[in-house]
Amino acid sequence: MSNELSSNIIEIAGSRLRLRTFTVEDSQQIFDLIDRNRAHLSQFRDGTAREYKSVAKVESSIVFSKPNRSRYGIWSEDSQLVGSVNIELDPHIPK
């Protein structure tokens, strides 16, 4: 992992869940979660199932993420990845 990626890790922990920015090391867990939920994700035109067909594609999406997007994994208290959230800043809103 590059220094730039590792220096931007944010983690928030509660009593039952932990929210942390994704790292390349999370790629397999992310892919496994998508793969287990592929049928559900495909129901509502969500592009996740279609876009991430391999661990390499997941890894690439982390390494080459959009500069205005933050991607966080949601982990349970037993360290299982249970979901994710993306926060994307609108580039048209003035700073």
Side-chain angles (χ1 to χ4, degrees):
M1 178 172 32
S2 74
N3 288 337
E4 182 179 330
L5 285 175
S6 62
S7 66
N8 293 325
I9 295 174
I10 297 171
E11 183 170 335
I12 301 169
S15 61
R16 298 183 57 202
L17 293 174
R18 183 170 46 98
L19 186 74
R20 179 180 50 77
T21 46
F22 282 133
T23 65
V24 172
E25 289 79 11
D26 300 321
S27 298
Q28 183 66 56
Q29 279 187 288
I30 296 166
F31 176 79
D32 291 345
L33 182 64
I34 292 168
D35 206 40
R36 283 193 308 272
N37 293 284
R38 205 167 289 281
H40 173 73
L41 291 168
S42 298
Q43 289 182 75
F44 306 104
R45 300 180 193 251
D46 183 317
T48 304
R50 185 178 59 255
E51 188 173 343
Y52 300 107
K53 293 186 177 184
S54 70
V55 176
K57 180 64 177 162
V58 172
E59 184 175 318
S60 176
S61 75
I62 294 169
V63 172
F64 301 107
S65 64
K66 296 178 182 178
N68 62 330
R69 179 186 289 174
S70 296
R71 300 171 67 201
Y72 299 90
I74 304 167
W75 278 266
S76 64
E77 56 194 334
D78 61 350
S79 298
Q80 295 298 308
L81 180 63
V82 296
S84 66
V85 61
N86 295 332
I87 300 171
E88 191 163 335
L89 300 175
D90 185 339
H92 299 100
I93 296 176
K95 293 182 181 182

